[in-house]
C-alpha cells in the first residue's frame, strides 16, 4: 500500500498516526436466520446458530486476534485465535481463520477450518445497502483520550455454511442476513493500564449503551446511545439508510429510550426508542429481544484476564472453549454489552408501520438514574 497515494500522516502505512497503545482496527460480523424463514419465537430461534465473528489488528501492540462465538440453545461456543502482527497489516489470517475483502464495501468472506473446536464456517457477506458512516466517538477522562474512534455499518445477506457440533447449516441469502461494521481508532484494549490519577477521579464511569441495527424491507435504521449516570449524552444518533443508494442517509432525530428489564438482572425484556425531530415529528420503534449472545465471555472484551483484545499470546495461539449459558455467573453478565437478536416494529412519522429484525446491543454498567440502578450490582426488582 505504500506504493499507492493513500497516506494520511508522514509515516509508512504500517505505522498509525498515534503511538497510543490502544489504537485498533477491527471487523465485526453477525449472521442470523431471517424472520420469514425462522419466525422470531424463542423456541424456533434457539434451534439455529446466532453467530458473531470479530477480527482486530493492534499495530502498536504487535498483535492480530479474532474470535467466533455462537449461541445455540443453552450452548455458548467460542473459538479464538491470536498471532504476532507481521509487516503486512492487510494479512487477515490468524491460524485457521481467514478474512478476505472480496470487493470493498460490497463483499467479504470469513472462514474457520474444521478441527479447532466445535464450530467451523465458510461464509460470504454481500451488502444489500451502502455502508454508512456513524458519528465520531470521542470521550476524554481527565486529560487522557479514552475513545476516539470512527465506524461504518452495513447490512447484508450471507452465503455458505456453518457447522456446529457436526450439524451443518446451509446458509443462503433467502434465509440468512446480518450486519457488519468496521471501526478503528483508540479505545481501551489489551491488559489494563495503571490508571494514575484517574483512579481517584470522581468522573462518571457508568456506561449506558444501545446500539441497534434494524433491517426492514427497503431500508435499515441504526441508532446509537451512550450516556452517563445522569443521562448526559456521549453519543446520540438515529439514521435511516435506504437500500436505494440514491436516497442517501437521513437523520431521524434525537433519541429517547424506555427499557423494561427482566427481573433479577439488567437484560432488556423490551425497549421503546423514539426519534424526535425539532419539528416534533416522531418515529417510534419497539424492540423485542429474542436471543442473547454473551459476546463478552471468552472473546476478549475484557471479562477474562488471560485473553483480552490485543493481548500478547505468543507468535500464534488458537483456543476453543464452551460454556452453558444457564451456568454463567449472573453478576458477571452485568459488566459487558450483550448482543440480542431482536425483532423490531417501526411506526414512522406518517403512521406507517414496518416490521424487521436485527441487532439490539445493550449494556447498562454501573449506576444509572433513569432506571434506578444505584451501584454496579443493582438489578431490576423481582415481580
Amino acid at each position: 500500500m505504500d506504493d499507492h497515494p493513500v497516506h494520511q500522516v508522514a509515516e509508512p502505512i504500517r505505522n498509525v498516526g498515534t503511538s497510543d497503545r490502544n489504537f485498533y482496527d477491527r471487523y465485526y460480523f453477525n449472521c442470523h436466520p431471517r424472520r420469514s424463514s425462522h419466525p422470531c419465537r424463542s423456541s424456533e430461534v434457539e434451534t439455529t446458530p446466532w453467530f458473531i465473528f470479530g477480527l482486530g489488528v493492534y499495530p502498536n501492540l504487535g498483535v492480530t486476534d479474532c474470535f467466533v462465538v455462537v449461541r445455540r440453545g443453552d450452548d455458548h461456543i467460542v473459538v479464538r485465535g491470536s498471532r504476532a502482527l507481521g509487516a503486512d497489516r492487510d494479512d487477515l489470517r490468524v491460524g485457521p481463520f481467514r478474512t478476505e475483502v472480496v470487493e470493498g464495501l460490497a463483499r467479504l468472506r470469513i472462514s474457520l477450518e474444521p478441527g479447532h473446536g466445535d464450530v467451523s464456517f465458510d461464509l460470504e457477506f454481500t451488502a444489500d445497502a451502502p455502508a454508512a458512516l456513524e458519528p465520531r466517538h470521542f470521550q476524554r477522562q481527565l486529560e487522557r483520550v479514552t475513545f476516539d474512534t470512527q465506524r461504518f455499518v452495513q447490512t447484508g445477506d450471507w452465503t455458505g455454511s456453518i457447522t456446529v457440533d457436526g450439524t451443518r447449516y446451509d446458509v443462503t441469502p433467502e434465509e440468512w442476513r446480518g450486519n457488519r461494521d468496521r471501526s478503528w481508532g483508540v479505545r481501551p484494549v489489551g491488559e489494563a493500564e495503571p490508571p494514575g490519577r484517574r483512579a481517584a477521579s470522581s468522573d462518571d464511569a457508568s456506561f449506558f449503551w444501545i446500539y441497534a441495527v434494524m433491517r426492514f424491507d427497503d431500508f435499515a435504521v441504526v441508532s446509537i446511545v451512550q450516556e452517563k449516570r445522569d443521562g448526559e449524552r456521549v453519543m446520540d444518533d438515529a439514521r435511516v439508510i435506504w437500500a436505494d443508494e440514491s436516497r442517501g442517509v437521513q437523520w431521524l432525530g434525537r433519541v429517547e429510550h424506555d427499557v423494561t428489564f427482566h427481573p433479577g438482572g439488567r437484560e432488556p425484556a423490551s425497549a421503546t426508542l423514539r426519534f424526535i425531530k425539532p419539528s416534533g415529528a416522531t418515529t417510534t420503534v419497539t424492540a423485542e429481544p429474542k436471543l442473547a449472545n454473551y459476546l463478552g465471555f471468552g472473546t476478549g472484551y475484557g471479562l477474562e484476564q488471560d485473553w483480552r483484545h490485543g493481548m500478547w499470546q505468543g507468535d500464534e495461539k488458537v483456543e476453543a472453549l464452551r460454556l452453558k449459558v444457564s451456568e454463567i455467573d449472573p453478576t458477571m453478565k452485568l459488566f459487558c454489552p450483550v448482543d440480542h437478536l431482536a425483532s423490531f416494529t417501526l411506526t414512522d412519522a406518517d403512521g406507517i408501520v414496518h416490521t424487521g429484525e436485527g441487532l439490539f446491543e445493550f449494556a447498562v454498567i454501573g449506576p444509572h438514574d433513569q432506571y434506578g440502578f444505584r451501584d454496579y450490582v443493582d438489578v431490576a426488582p423481582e415481580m
Side-chain angles (χ1 to χ4, degrees):
M1 292 303 295
D2 282 313
D3 212 15
H4 296 265
V6 294
H7 295 86
Q8 302 294 313
V9 295
E11 290 278 3
I13 289 293
R14 171 67 177 81
N15 300 331
V16 298
T18 173
S19 62
D20 193 317
R21 68 184 296 280
N22 289 322
F23 187 90
Y24 78 105
D25 212 340
R26 169 165 288 277
Y27 295 81
Y28 165 98
F29 300 87
N30 67 49
C31 176
H32 61 83
R34 289 175 178 260
R35 280 190 322 126
S36 57
S37 56
H38 299 270
C40 259
R41 301 185 181 92
S42 59
S43 61
E44 295 166 319
V45 168
E46 289 184 4
T47 64
T48 54
W50 172 210
F51 171 102
I52 297 173
F53 171 81
L55 180 144
V57 176
Y58 308 91
N60 296 333
L61 295 175
V63 171
T64 299
D65 57 26
C66 64
F67 69 87
V68 58
V69 55
V70 171
R71 169 75 189 273
R72 191 185 65 165
D74 195 38
D75 292 317
H76 176 91
I77 305 168
V78 176
V79 183
R80 60 196 186 189
S82 175
R83 70 167 175 86
L85 176 64
D88 182 3
R89 282 176 55 192
D90 203 35
D91 181 358
L92 303 180
R93 297 171 296 171
V94 181
F97 290 92
R98 298 289 185 274
T99 301
E100 179 186 1
V101 180
V102 180
E103 181 183 352
L105 302 181
R107 291 190 300 133
L108 295 94
R109 183 180 178 184
I110 58 175
S111 63
L112 169 60
E113 299 169 1
H116 299 275
D118 298 324
V119 177
S120 61
F121 57 89
D122 190 343
L123 295 167
E124 184 168 299
F125 175 90
T126 301
D128 62 10
L133 278 175
E134 298 172 3
R136 186 82 165 262
H137 187 180
F138 185 89
Q139 191 170 8
R140 189 190 297 271
Q141 189 179 19
L142 297 179
E143 286 73 27
R144 180 66 184 274
V145 174
T146 52
F147 284 87
D148 185 9
T149 68
Q150 181 68 71
R151 179 167 55 194
F152 67 74
V153 63
Q154 191 167 38
T155 57
D157 303 320
W158 288 97
T159 304
S161 66
I162 303 170
T163 301
V164 182
D165 287 338
T167 299
R168 175 187 168 104
Y169 297 86
D170 290 322
V171 175
T172 65
E174 295 77 22
E175 295 191 345
W176 296 77
R177 65 172 29 160
N179 70 266
R180 74 175 187 109
D181 66 55
R182 284 277 292 110
S183 63
W184 60 95
V186 171
R187 72 179 187 190
V189 299
E191 300 93 330
E193 299 176 78
R197 180 186 164 192
R198 287 179 293 154
S201 172
S202 60
D203 282 4
D204 184 3
S206 298
F207 180 74
F208 179 93
W209 176 256
I210 294 173
Y211 181 64
V213 183
M214 319 166 209
R215 187 68 177 93
F216 301 94
D217 287 340
D218 301 318
F219 61 92
V221 170
V222 179
S223 177
I224 310 169
V225 176
Q226 183 190 343
E227 62 187 31
K228 300 180 181 180
R229 172 178 185 160
D230 61 1
E232 179 186 350
R233 293 289 168 86
V234 177
M235 296 191 75
D236 181 314
D237 196 60
R239 297 179 188 270
V240 59
I241 305 166
W242 293 97
D244 179 355
E245 191 167 358
S246 66
R247 300 186 68 174
V249 177
Q250 298 164 1
W251 180 64
L252 288 174
R254 74 177 187 274
V255 184
E256 293 184 356
H257 54 82
D258 184 7
V259 180
T260 301
F261 295 87
H262 287 293
R266 296 192 181 187
E267 292 191 36
S270 64
T272 299
L273 306 178
R274 297 180 181 88
F275 313 136
I276 305 170
K277 290 188 174 181
S279 65
T282 300
T283 300
T284 302
V285 173
T286 300
E288 297 183 46
K290 300 297 183 181
L291 189 64
N293 192 322
Y294 298 96
L295 81 164
F297 290 85
T299 61
Y301 279 93
L303 291 179
E304 295 89 9
Q305 297 306 307
D306 63 338
W307 193 286
R308 305 184 68 169
H309 292 161
M311 187 174 182
W312 175 245
Q313 302 289 348
D315 287 343
E316 184 171 292
K317 188 175 184 179
V318 179
E319 294 185 343
L321 62 91
R322 188 175 187 128
L323 303 172
K324 289 293 185 183
V325 173
S326 58
E327 297 174 359
I328 294 176
D329 182 348
T331 301
M332 294 302 295
K333 292 180 181 179
L334 303 178
F335 294 93
C336 66
V338 179
D339 279 12
H340 298 267
L341 177 59
S343 62
F344 299 98
T345 302
L346 180 149
T347 304
D348 67 22
D350 296 321
I352 300 173
V353 177
H354 307 263
T355 58
E357 69 225 318
L359 171 69
F360 188 78
E361 184 175 88
F362 182 78
V364 52
I365 301 171
H368 193 268
D369 294 342
Q370 179 177 341
Y371 295 113
F373 301 127
R374 293 169 296 177
D375 60 34
Y376 280 85
V377 295
D378 269 0
V379 296
E382 298 288 345
M383 300 293 289

